[in-house]
Amino acid sequence: MLDATETKKKGPINLTDLADRFGSDKGSTKHRYTELYHMLFHPYRGRKINFLEMGLLIGGPEHGNDADRKTTDVPSIRMWLEYFPKAHIHGLDVSDFSWFDHDRFTFHRCDMDDRGAIAQAAADMPTPDIVIDDASHASHHQQNAFLEIFPKLASGGLYVIEDLRWQPETYEVAGITKTAALLRSYIDTREFQHSDPETAEAFNALIPEISACIVHPVKYQKKRRDQVAVIHKR
């Protein structure tokens, strides 16, 4: 981690530069999410926040690999630890990352296919200020995680869902409303519309807690597909 002298010498920390240094696909080499995140998260940098990321390394069961695969790195967690020098970073994944040791990192192992497990994981951590869902990308996983974790998000907090344009065949449930379409229905009509009435009801019950929902296309290009959503908590 850079100390104050090094930071002054090298200039202000930029999140995209950190992503590229640690090998995260959130940076300039692929998704460019960090361009958005640096704008949104910079005011939080010096604060003692709780930050949760779900999905810690590409190549899990969503790509057909065993959940018990050997994991060897946590690129984005390393990035967040440096970007937020006072934050406690929580990581959640179906694979085991408990080997990663840092005094400001806590790992929660959780199968996103089990909503009860998501609820338990949420209960085991403090109130988050920022949440990023970069887990399996299956629609029902994203939606169940949102229903369990968004209510616990701190007032004024940010909830981000990545990779809306891709759902894995290994997990996606046929006929389910995709998360991008669900969020677009709210943006267009101020009501969540879903193929499952119970899910629609659960999302609509959260509307009083939502102050904004913004969906960005791939690489922020107008004609591209929906890619990343940011939901702000009242």
Side-chain angles (χ1 to χ4, degrees), residues 177-231:
T177 299
K178 296 192 183 302
T179 305
L182 177 66
L183 298 176
R184 280 290 175 192
S185 70
Y186 171 74
I187 292 170
D188 294 342
T189 70
R190 284 299 181 261
E191 181 179 347
F192 289 103
Q193 298 167 17
H194 197 284
S195 58
D196 175 39
E198 289 187 9
T199 301
E201 182 180 2
F203 268 85
N204 284 315
L206 293 177
I207 289 176
E209 300 184 48
I210 297 172
S211 69
C213 175
I214 300 171
V215 178
H216 296 274
V218 174
K219 295 184 177 178
Y220 317 109
Q221 296 169 351
K222 186 176 181 180
K223 296 182 179 179
R224 304 288 294 273
R225 295 176 61 190
D226 290 335
Q227 176 76 330
V228 59
V230 181
I231 302 96

Short mmCIF file of all heavy atoms in Angstrom, two decimals, residues 177-231:
data_model
loop_
_atom_site.label_atom_id
_atom_site.label_comp_id
_atom_site.label_asym_id
_atom_site.label_seq_id
_atom_site.Cartn_x
_atom_site.Cartn_y
_atom_site.Cartn_z
N THR A 177 -37.48 -13.79 -15.50
CA THR A 177 -37.20 -12.44 -15.99
C THR A 177 -35.75 -12.10 -15.68
O THR A 177 -35.31 -12.22 -14.53
CB THR A 177 -38.13 -11.41 -15.32
OG1 THR A 177 -39.48 -11.73 -15.64
CG2 THR A 177 -37.80 -10.00 -15.78
N LYS A 178 -35.02 -11.69 -16.69
CA LYS A 178 -33.61 -11.36 -16.49
C LYS A 178 -33.50 -10.05 -15.69
O LYS A 178 -34.37 -9.18 -15.74
CB LYS A 178 -32.89 -11.26 -17.82
CG LYS A 178 -32.88 -12.61 -18.55
CD LYS A 178 -31.95 -12.61 -19.72
CE LYS A 178 -32.02 -13.95 -20.48
NZ LYS A 178 -31.69 -15.10 -19.63
N THR A 179 -32.43 -9.94 -14.94
CA THR A 179 -32.28 -8.81 -14.03
C THR A 179 -32.27 -7.48 -14.77
O THR A 179 -32.84 -6.50 -14.29
CB THR A 179 -31.00 -8.97 -13.19
OG1 THR A 179 -31.04 -10.24 -12.51
CG2 THR A 179 -30.87 -7.86 -12.17
N ALA A 180 -31.65 -7.42 -15.94
CA ALA A 180 -31.63 -6.17 -16.71
C ALA A 180 -33.05 -5.75 -17.06
O ALA A 180 -33.42 -4.57 -16.93
CB ALA A 180 -30.79 -6.33 -17.97
N ALA A 181 -33.87 -6.70 -17.50
CA ALA A 181 -35.26 -6.38 -17.85
C ALA A 181 -36.05 -5.98 -16.61
O ALA A 181 -36.91 -5.08 -16.67
CB ALA A 181 -35.91 -7.59 -18.53
N LEU A 182 -35.79 -6.63 -15.49
CA LEU A 182 -36.47 -6.29 -14.24
C LEU A 182 -36.17 -4.85 -13.83
O LEU A 182 -37.09 -4.08 -13.49
CB LEU A 182 -36.01 -7.25 -13.14
CG LEU A 182 -36.55 -7.01 -11.73
CD1 LEU A 182 -38.05 -7.23 -11.67
CD2 LEU A 182 -35.83 -7.91 -10.73
N LEU A 183 -34.91 -4.47 -13.91
CA LEU A 183 -34.52 -3.11 -13.53
C LEU A 183 -35.04 -2.09 -14.53
O LEU A 183 -35.47 -0.99 -14.15
CB LEU A 183 -33.00 -3.02 -13.40
CG LEU A 183 -32.37 -3.91 -12.31
CD1 LEU A 183 -30.86 -3.80 -12.34
CD2 LEU A 183 -32.91 -3.57 -10.93
N ARG A 184 -35.02 -2.44 -15.81
CA ARG A 184 -35.55 -1.53 -16.83
C ARG A 184 -37.05 -1.30 -16.63
O ARG A 184 -37.55 -0.20 -16.86
CB ARG A 184 -35.28 -2.09 -18.22
CG ARG A 184 -33.88 -1.87 -18.74
CD ARG A 184 -33.62 -0.42 -19.06
NE ARG A 184 -32.24 -0.19 -19.45
CZ ARG A 184 -31.68 1.00 -19.56
NH1 ARG A 184 -32.39 2.09 -19.25
NH2 ARG A 184 -30.43 1.14 -19.92
N SER A 185 -37.77 -2.33 -16.20
CA SER A 185 -39.20 -2.16 -15.98
C SER A 185 -39.45 -1.12 -14.90
O SER A 185 -40.38 -0.31 -14.99
CB SER A 185 -39.86 -3.50 -15.62
OG SER A 185 -39.48 -3.94 -14.32
N TYR A 186 -38.60 -1.12 -13.87
CA TYR A 186 -38.73 -0.11 -12.81
C TYR A 186 -38.37 1.28 -13.33
O TYR A 186 -39.07 2.27 -13.04
CB TYR A 186 -37.85 -0.48 -11.62
CG TYR A 186 -37.79 0.63 -10.59
CD1 TYR A 186 -38.88 0.89 -9.76
CD2 TYR A 186 -36.66 1.44 -10.48
CE1 TYR A 186 -38.84 1.92 -8.84
CE2 TYR A 186 -36.61 2.47 -9.55
CZ TYR A 186 -37.70 2.71 -8.75
OH TYR A 186 -37.67 3.73 -7.84
N ILE A 187 -37.29 1.38 -14.10
CA ILE A 187 -36.87 2.67 -14.64
C ILE A 187 -37.97 3.25 -15.54
O ILE A 187 -38.26 4.45 -15.50
CB ILE A 187 -35.56 2.52 -15.44
CG1 ILE A 187 -34.40 2.18 -14.47
CG2 ILE A 187 -35.23 3.78 -16.23
CD1 ILE A 187 -33.12 1.78 -15.16
N ASP A 188 -38.61 2.39 -16.34
CA ASP A 188 -39.61 2.86 -17.31
C ASP A 188 -40.98 3.15 -16.68
O ASP A 188 -41.67 4.07 -17.11
CB ASP A 188 -39.78 1.82 -18.42
CG ASP A 188 -38.53 1.68 -19.28
OD1 ASP A 188 -37.68 2.58 -19.26
OD2 ASP A 188 -38.41 0.64 -19.98
N THR A 189 -41.37 2.34 -15.69
CA THR A 189 -42.74 2.44 -15.18
C THR A 189 -42.84 2.73 -13.69
O THR A 189 -43.95 2.92 -13.18
CB THR A 189 -43.50 1.11 -15.45
OG1 THR A 189 -42.96 0.08 -14.60
CG2 THR A 189 -43.38 0.69 -16.91
N ARG A 190 -41.69 2.75 -13.00
CA ARG A 190 -41.65 2.89 -11.54
C ARG A 190 -42.34 1.73 -10.84
O ARG A 190 -42.84 1.85 -9.73
CB ARG A 190 -42.25 4.23 -11.10
CG ARG A 190 -41.29 5.40 -11.34
CD ARG A 190 -40.02 5.18 -10.53
NE ARG A 190 -39.07 6.27 -10.68
CZ ARG A 190 -38.00 6.27 -11.48
NH1 ARG A 190 -37.77 5.22 -12.26
NH2 ARG A 190 -37.17 7.27 -11.52
N GLU A 191 -42.33 0.58 -11.51
CA GLU A 191 -42.85 -0.65 -10.91
C GLU A 191 -42.04 -1.82 -11.45
O GLU A 191 -41.77 -1.89 -12.66
CB GLU A 191 -44.32 -0.84 -11.26
CG GLU A 191 -44.94 -2.09 -10.64
CD GLU A 191 -46.42 -2.25 -10.98
OE1 GLU A 191 -47.01 -1.27 -11.48
OE2 GLU A 191 -46.96 -3.34 -10.74
N PHE A 192 -41.65 -2.73 -10.57
CA PHE A 192 -40.90 -3.91 -11.00
C PHE A 192 -41.86 -4.94 -11.58
O PHE A 192 -42.86 -5.30 -10.94
CB PHE A 192 -40.14 -4.53 -9.82
CG PHE A 192 -38.97 -3.71 -9.36
CD1 PHE A 192 -39.06 -2.94 -8.20
CD2 PHE A 192 -37.79 -3.71 -10.07
CE1 PHE A 192 -37.98 -2.18 -7.76
CE2 PHE A 192 -36.70 -2.96 -9.64
CZ PHE A 192 -36.80 -2.19 -8.48
N GLN A 193 -41.55 -5.41 -12.77
CA GLN A 193 -42.37 -6.42 -13.43
C GLN A 193 -41.55 -7.69 -13.61
O GLN A 193 -40.43 -7.64 -14.13
CB GLN A 193 -42.87 -5.89 -14.78
CG GLN A 193 -43.74 -4.65 -14.64
CD GLN A 193 -43.99 -3.94 -15.94
OE1 GLN A 193 -43.78 -4.50 -17.01
NE2 GLN A 193 -44.43 -2.69 -15.87
N HIS A 194 -42.11 -8.81 -13.16
CA HIS A 194 -41.38 -10.09 -13.15
C HIS A 194 -42.32 -11.22 -13.50
O HIS A 194 -43.53 -11.16 -13.18
CB HIS A 194 -40.76 -10.30 -11.76
CG HIS A 194 -39.68 -11.32 -11.72
ND1 HIS A 194 -39.92 -12.68 -11.74
CD2 HIS A 194 -38.32 -11.19 -11.67
CE1 HIS A 194 -38.77 -13.33 -11.69
NE2 HIS A 194 -37.79 -12.45 -11.65
N SER A 195 -41.78 -12.26 -14.12
CA SER A 195 -42.60 -13.41 -14.50
C SER A 195 -43.16 -14.14 -13.29
O SER A 195 -44.20 -14.80 -13.38
CB SER A 195 -41.76 -14.39 -15.35
OG SER A 195 -40.60 -14.80 -14.63
N ASP A 196 -42.48 -14.02 -12.15
CA ASP A 196 -42.95 -14.63 -10.90
C ASP A 196 -43.61 -13.55 -10.04
O ASP A 196 -42.94 -12.62 -9.59
CB ASP A 196 -41.78 -15.25 -10.15
CG ASP A 196 -42.19 -15.79 -8.79
OD1 ASP A 196 -43.30 -16.37 -8.69
OD2 ASP A 196 -41.42 -15.63 -7.82
N PRO A 197 -44.92 -13.64 -9.79
CA PRO A 197 -45.62 -12.60 -9.02
C PRO A 197 -45.02 -12.37 -7.63
O PRO A 197 -45.00 -11.23 -7.15
CB PRO A 197 -47.05 -13.14 -8.93
CG PRO A 197 -47.20 -14.04 -10.12
CD PRO A 197 -45.85 -14.67 -10.29
N GLU A 198 -44.55 -13.43 -6.98
CA GLU A 198 -43.99 -13.26 -5.64
C GLU A 198 -42.70 -12.45 -5.67
O GLU A 198 -42.45 -11.62 -4.79
CB GLU A 198 -43.74 -14.63 -5.00
CG GLU A 198 -45.02 -15.37 -4.61
CD GLU A 198 -44.74 -16.63 -3.82
OE1 GLU A 198 -43.56 -16.85 -3.44
OE2 GLU A 198 -45.68 -17.41 -3.58
N THR A 199 -41.88 -12.70 -6.70
CA THR A 199 -40.64 -11.93 -6.84
C THR A 199 -40.96 -10.47 -7.14
O THR A 199 -40.34 -9.56 -6.58
CB THR A 199 -39.75 -12.52 -7.94
OG1 THR A 199 -39.43 -13.89 -7.61
CG2 THR A 199 -38.45 -11.74 -8.10
N ALA A 200 -41.93 -10.25 -8.03
CA ALA A 200 -42.34 -8.88 -8.34
C ALA A 200 -42.82 -8.16 -7.08
O ALA A 200 -42.44 -7.01 -6.82
CB ALA A 200 -43.44 -8.90 -9.40
N GLU A 201 -43.61 -8.86 -6.28
CA GLU A 201 -44.13 -8.26 -5.05
C GLU A 201 -43.00 -7.91 -4.08
O GLU A 201 -43.01 -6.85 -3.44
CB GLU A 201 -45.11 -9.22 -4.38
CG GLU A 201 -45.75 -8.68 -3.12
CD GLU A 201 -46.73 -9.65 -2.48
OE1 GLU A 201 -46.90 -10.77 -3.01
OE2 GLU A 201 -47.34 -9.28 -1.47
N ALA A 202 -42.02 -8.81 -3.98
CA ALA A 202 -40.90 -8.58 -3.06
C ALA A 202 -40.07 -7.38 -3.50
O ALA A 202 -39.64 -6.56 -2.67
CB ALA A 202 -40.03 -9.83 -2.99
N PHE A 203 -39.83 -7.25 -4.81
CA PHE A 203 -39.08 -6.10 -5.31
C PHE A 203 -39.88 -4.81 -5.13
O PHE A 203 -39.33 -3.78 -4.72
CB PHE A 203 -38.69 -6.30 -6.77
CG PHE A 203 -37.35 -6.93 -6.96
CD1 PHE A 203 -37.19 -8.31 -6.92
CD2 PHE A 203 -36.22 -6.15 -7.16
CE1 PHE A 203 -35.95 -8.90 -7.08
CE2 PHE A 203 -34.97 -6.73 -7.31
CZ PHE A 203 -34.83 -8.10 -7.28
N ASN A 204 -41.16 -4.85 -5.44
CA ASN A 204 -41.97 -3.65 -5.32
C ASN A 204 -42.09 -3.17 -3.87
O ASN A 204 -42.24 -1.98 -3.61
CB ASN A 204 -43.35 -3.87 -5.94
CG ASN A 204 -43.30 -3.83 -7.45
OD1 ASN A 204 -42.66 -2.96 -8.03
ND2 ASN A 204 -43.94 -4.79 -8.11
N ALA A 205 -41.98 -4.11 -2.93
CA ALA A 205 -42.01 -3.72 -1.52
C ALA A 205 -40.80 -2.89 -1.13
O ALA A 205 -40.83 -2.16 -0.13
CB ALA A 205 -42.09 -4.98 -0.66
N LEU A 206 -39.72 -2.99 -1.93
CA LEU A 206 -38.50 -2.25 -1.62
C LEU A 206 -38.45 -0.87 -2.27
O LEU A 206 -37.52 -0.09 -2.01
CB LEU A 206 -37.27 -3.06 -2.08
CG LEU A 206 -37.00 -4.36 -1.32
CD1 LEU A 206 -35.82 -5.09 -1.93
CD2 LEU A 206 -36.75 -4.09 0.16
N ILE A 207 -39.42 -0.55 -3.11
CA ILE A 207 -39.40 0.73 -3.82
C ILE A 207 -39.24 1.94 -2.89
O ILE A 207 -38.47 2.86 -3.20
CB ILE A 207 -40.65 0.88 -4.72
CG1 ILE A 207 -40.53 -0.08 -5.92
CG2 ILE A 207 -40.81 2.32 -5.20
CD1 ILE A 207 -41.75 -0.08 -6.83
N PRO A 208 -39.91 1.97 -1.73
CA PRO A 208 -39.72 3.12 -0.84
C PRO A 208 -38.29 3.31 -0.36
O PRO A 208 -37.93 4.40 0.10
CB PRO A 208 -40.66 2.82 0.33
CG PRO A 208 -41.71 1.93 -0.25
CD PRO A 208 -40.98 1.07 -1.24
N GLU A 209 -37.46 2.25 -0.47
CA GLU A 209 -36.06 2.34 -0.03
C GLU A 209 -35.11 2.73 -1.15
O GLU A 209 -33.91 2.90 -0.92
CB GLU A 209 -35.62 1.01 0.58
CG GLU A 209 -36.43 0.58 1.79
CD GLU A 209 -35.90 -0.70 2.41
OE1 GLU A 209 -34.68 -0.79 2.62
OE2 GLU A 209 -36.71 -1.62 2.65
N ILE A 210 -35.61 2.85 -2.38
CA ILE A 210 -34.77 3.12 -3.54
C ILE A 210 -34.88 4.60 -3.93
O ILE A 210 -35.98 5.08 -4.19
CB ILE A 210 -35.17 2.23 -4.74
CG1 ILE A 210 -34.95 0.75 -4.40
CG2 ILE A 210 -34.38 2.62 -5.99
CD1 ILE A 210 -35.50 -0.20 -5.44
N SER A 211 -33.75 5.29 -3.99
CA SER A 211 -33.79 6.69 -4.43
C SER A 211 -33.39 6.83 -5.89
O SER A 211 -33.75 7.82 -6.53
CB SER A 211 -32.88 7.56 -3.56
OG SER A 211 -31.52 7.25 -3.78
N ALA A 212 -32.66 5.86 -6.41
CA ALA A 212 -32.26 5.91 -7.82
C ALA A 212 -31.86 4.53 -8.29
O ALA A 212 -31.31 3.73 -7.53
CB ALA A 212 -31.10 6.88 -8.02
N CYS A 213 -32.13 4.26 -9.57
CA CYS A 213 -31.70 3.01 -10.21
C CYS A 213 -31.24 3.40 -11.62
O CYS A 213 -32.03 3.88 -12.43
CB CYS A 213 -32.85 2.01 -10.27
SG CYS A 213 -32.44 0.49 -11.18
N ILE A 214 -29.96 3.20 -11.88
CA ILE A 214 -29.37 3.58 -13.15
C ILE A 214 -28.70 2.36 -13.77
O ILE A 214 -27.95 1.66 -13.09
CB ILE A 214 -28.36 4.72 -12.97
CG1 ILE A 214 -29.05 5.95 -12.36
CG2 ILE A 214 -27.69 5.08 -14.30
CD1 ILE A 214 -28.11 7.03 -11.93
N VAL A 215 -28.98 2.12 -15.05
CA VAL A 215 -28.38 0.99 -15.76
C VAL A 215 -27.52 1.53 -16.90
O VAL A 215 -28.00 2.32 -17.73
CB VAL A 215 -29.46 0.04 -16.32
CG1 VAL A 215 -28.80 -1.09 -17.10
CG2 VAL A 215 -30.30 -0.53 -15.18
N HIS A 216 -26.25 1.11 -16.92
CA HIS A 216 -25.31 1.57 -17.94
C HIS A 216 -25.07 0.47 -18.98
O HIS A 216 -24.96 -0.71 -18.62
CB HIS A 216 -23.98 1.95 -17.31
CG HIS A 216 -24.06 3.11 -16.37
ND1 HIS A 216 -23.97 4.41 -16.79
CD2 HIS A 216 -24.24 3.16 -15.03
CE1 HIS A 216 -24.08 5.22 -15.74
NE2 HIS A 216 -24.25 4.49 -14.66
N PRO A 217 -24.94 0.83 -20.26
CA PRO A 217 -24.65 -0.17 -21.30
C PRO A 217 -23.17 -0.56 -21.31
O PRO A 217 -22.34 0.08 -20.64
CB PRO A 217 -25.05 0.55 -22.59
CG PRO A 217 -24.81 2.00 -22.28
CD PRO A 217 -25.16 2.17 -20.82
N VAL A 218 -22.86 -1.58 -22.08
CA VAL A 218 -21.48 -2.06 -22.21
C VAL A 218 -20.56 -0.90 -22.60
O VAL A 218 -20.80 -0.18 -23.57
CB VAL A 218 -21.39 -3.18 -23.26
CG1 VAL A 218 -19.94 -3.56 -23.50
CG2 VAL A 218 -22.21 -4.38 -22.81
N LYS A 219 -19.51 -0.70 -21.81
CA LYS A 219 -18.51 0.35 -22.03
C LYS A 219 -19.13 1.72 -22.25
O LYS A 219 -18.58 2.58 -22.92
CB LYS A 219 -17.57 -0.04 -23.19
CG LYS A 219 -16.74 -1.28 -22.85
CD LYS A 219 -15.73 -1.63 -23.93
CE LYS A 219 -14.91 -2.84 -23.47
NZ LYS A 219 -13.92 -3.26 -24.50
N TYR A 220 -20.34 1.91 -21.68
CA TYR A 220 -21.04 3.20 -21.67
C TYR A 220 -21.40 3.69 -23.07
O TYR A 220 -21.61 4.89 -23.28
CB TYR A 220 -20.20 4.24 -20.91
CG TYR A 220 -19.62 3.67 -19.64
CD1 TYR A 220 -18.25 3.42 -19.52
CD2 TYR A 220 -20.44 3.31 -18.58
CE1 TYR A 220 -17.72 2.85 -18.37
CE2 TYR A 220 -19.92 2.75 -17.42
CZ TYR A 220 -18.57 2.51 -17.33
OH TYR A 220 -18.05 1.93 -16.19
N GLN A 221 -21.50 2.76 -24.00
CA GLN A 221 -21.83 3.11 -25.39
C GLN A 221 -23.33 2.91 -25.60
O GLN A 221 -23.87 1.83 -25.38
CB GLN A 221 -21.00 2.26 -26.36
CG GLN A 221 -19.51 2.53 -26.23
CD GLN A 221 -18.65 1.53 -26.99
OE1 GLN A 221 -19.15 0.53 -27.49
NE2 GLN A 221 -17.36 1.80 -27.08
N LYS A 222 -23.98 3.95 -26.06
CA LYS A 222 -25.43 4.05 -26.08
C LYS A 222 -26.13 2.86 -26.73
O LYS A 222 -27.18 2.40 -26.27
CB LYS A 222 -25.84 5.34 -26.79
CG LYS A 222 -27.32 5.64 -26.75
CD LYS A 222 -27.61 6.99 -27.38
CE LYS A 222 -29.09 7.31 -27.34
NZ LYS A 222 -29.38 8.63 -27.96
N LYS A 223 -25.61 2.33 -27.81
CA LYS A 223 -26.29 1.28 -28.56
C LYS A 223 -25.94 -0.13 -28.09
O LYS A 223 -26.43 -1.10 -28.67
CB LYS A 223 -25.98 1.43 -30.05
CG LYS A 223 -26.51 2.73 -30.65
CD LYS A 223 -26.23 2.82 -32.15
CE LYS A 223 -26.80 4.11 -32.72
NZ LYS A 223 -26.53 4.23 -34.18
N ARG A 224 -25.13 -0.24 -27.05
CA ARG A 224 -24.74 -1.55 -26.54
C ARG A 224 -25.77 -2.06 -25.54
O ARG A 224 -26.65 -1.34 -25.07
CB ARG A 224 -23.35 -1.49 -25.89
CG ARG A 224 -22.24 -0.96 -26.78
CD ARG A 224 -21.83 -1.92 -27.87
NE ARG A 224 -21.23 -3.13 -27.34
CZ ARG A 224 -19.92 -3.26 -27.05
NH1 ARG A 224 -19.09 -2.22 -27.21
NH2 ARG A 224 -19.44 -4.40 -26.60
N ARG A 225 -25.65 -3.34 -25.16
CA ARG A 225 -26.59 -3.96 -24.22
C ARG A 225 -26.35 -3.49 -22.79
O ARG A 225 -25.26 -3.01 -22.45
CB ARG A 225 -26.46 -5.48 -24.29
CG ARG A 225 -26.87 -6.08 -25.62
CD ARG A 225 -26.61 -7.57 -25.66
NE ARG A 225 -27.38 -8.29 -24.64
CZ ARG A 225 -27.19 -9.57 -24.34
NH1 ARG A 225 -26.25 -10.28 -24.96
NH2 ARG A 225 -27.94 -10.16 -23.43
N ASP A 226 -27.38 -3.64 -21.94
CA ASP A 226 -27.24 -3.27 -20.53
C ASP A 226 -26.16 -4.13 -19.88
O ASP A 226 -26.10 -5.35 -20.08
CB ASP A 226 -28.57 -3.50 -19.80
CG ASP A 226 -29.63 -2.49 -20.22
OD1 ASP A 226 -29.27 -1.39 -20.67
OD2 ASP A 226 -30.83 -2.82 -20.11
N GLN A 227 -25.33 -3.48 -19.05
CA GLN A 227 -24.18 -4.19 -18.50
C GLN A 227 -24.03 -4.06 -16.99
O GLN A 227 -23.73 -5.02 -16.31
CB GLN A 227 -22.90 -3.69 -19.19
CG GLN A 227 -21.60 -4.26 -18.65
CD GLN A 227 -21.33 -5.68 -19.08
OE1 GLN A 227 -22.26 -6.45 -19.31
NE2 GLN A 227 -20.07 -6.04 -19.20
N VAL A 228 -24.21 -2.86 -16.43
CA VAL A 228 -23.98 -2.67 -15.00
C VAL A 228 -25.04 -1.74 -14.43
O VAL A 228 -25.40 -0.73 -15.04
CB VAL A 228 -22.55 -2.13 -14.72
CG1 VAL A 228 -22.31 -0.81 -15.43
CG2 VAL A 228 -22.29 -2.01 -13.22
N ALA A 229 -25.58 -2.12 -13.27
CA ALA A 229 -26.63 -1.33 -12.62
C ALA A 229 -26.12 -0.79 -11.30
O ALA A 229 -25.36 -1.46 -10.58
CB ALA A 229 -27.87 -2.18 -12.38
N VAL A 230 -26.57 0.42 -10.96
CA VAL A 230 -26.27 1.03 -9.67
C VAL A 230 -27.60 1.44 -9.03
O VAL A 230 -28.36 2.19 -9.63
CB VAL A 230 -25.36 2.28 -9.80
CG1 VAL A 230 -25.07 2.87 -8.43
CG2 VAL A 230 -24.08 1.92 -10.53
N ILE A 231 -27.86 0.91 -7.85
CA ILE A 231 -29.08 1.24 -7.13
C ILE A 231 -28.68 1.95 -5.84
O ILE A 231 -27.83 1.46 -5.08
CB ILE A 231 -29.92 -0.02 -6.80
CG1 ILE A 231 -30.29 -0.77 -8.08
CG2 ILE A 231 -31.20 0.37 -6.07
CD1 ILE A 231 -29.38 -1.91 -8.44
#
